[in-house]
Amino acid sequence: MSLQSQGAVSVLRVGNDRIDAAIAIQFKDRFRDITADVAGPVVLDLGRVTFLDSSGLGAVVAARKLLGPDRALELAALSPAVEKVMQLTRMNTVFPIHDTVADALTAHGVAPAA
């Protein structure tokens, strides 16, 4: 995972193609470490993620809780398989979901970096 600040919004790019039981704990720990010193909303760029199981979904929900009630976790660039998981579990009603990272930034009034 890598973090990039875009104005008041932080974009966290997930480098793995899977978020599953094998890496769920590592994902949560890394998310906590990376976002501990940033303020404002975090956009989780899931563009490379092609598989998300129940443990991975739990890790994403836990990541949201790690941010606390005053900070948003938004999702962007979901693959069709990940989008389907979000719809089936109704997590698409919990998380703001954007088609692209640029769309997420625009929604916060931030011009995407070129």
Side-chain angles (χ1 to χ4, degrees), residues 74-106:
E74 302 183 12
L75 310 179
L78 278 61
S79 69
V82 172
E83 186 172 11
K84 186 171 185 173
V85 169
M86 292 297 173
Q87 290 173 350
L88 290 172
T89 60
R90 300 193 41 82
M91 286 293 115
N92 60 331
T93 65
V94 174
F95 291 98
I97 298 176
H98 305 277
D99 289 338
T100 66
V101 171
D103 289 346
L105 294 172
T106 300

Side-chain angles (χ1 to χ4, degrees), residues 2-114:
S2 64
L3 184 74
Q4 182 180 34
S5 292
Q6 298 281 325
V9 180
S10 297
V11 176
L12 185 57
R13 296 192 193 316
V14 177
N16 298 43
D17 63 346
R18 301 171 65 91
I19 304 176
D20 57 17
I23 69 155
I25 293 172
Q26 177 188 357
F27 174 88
K28 287 186 290 189
D29 291 344
R30 185 85 173 114
F31 182 92
R32 182 183 53 244
D33 293 345
I34 289 175
T35 61
D37 296 328
V38 298
V42 175
V43 174
L44 192 59
D45 179 356
L46 296 172
R48 292 197 57 201
V49 178
T50 58
F51 181 81
L52 180 76
D53 70 3
S54 60
S55 295
L57 182 59
V60 173
V61 171
R64 167 63 191 100
K65 290 179 181 179
L66 286 169
L67 291 178
D70 298 329
R71 295 175 61 202
L73 177 62
E74 302 183 12
L75 310 179
L78 278 61
S79 69
V82 172
E83 186 172 11
K84 186 171 185 173
V85 169
M86 292 297 173
Q87 290 173 350
L88 290 172
T89 60
R90 300 193 41 82
M91 286 293 115
N92 60 331
T93 65
V94 174
F95 291 98
I97 298 176
H98 305 277
D99 289 338
T100 66
V101 171
D103 289 346
L105 294 172
T106 300
H108 287 281
V110 176

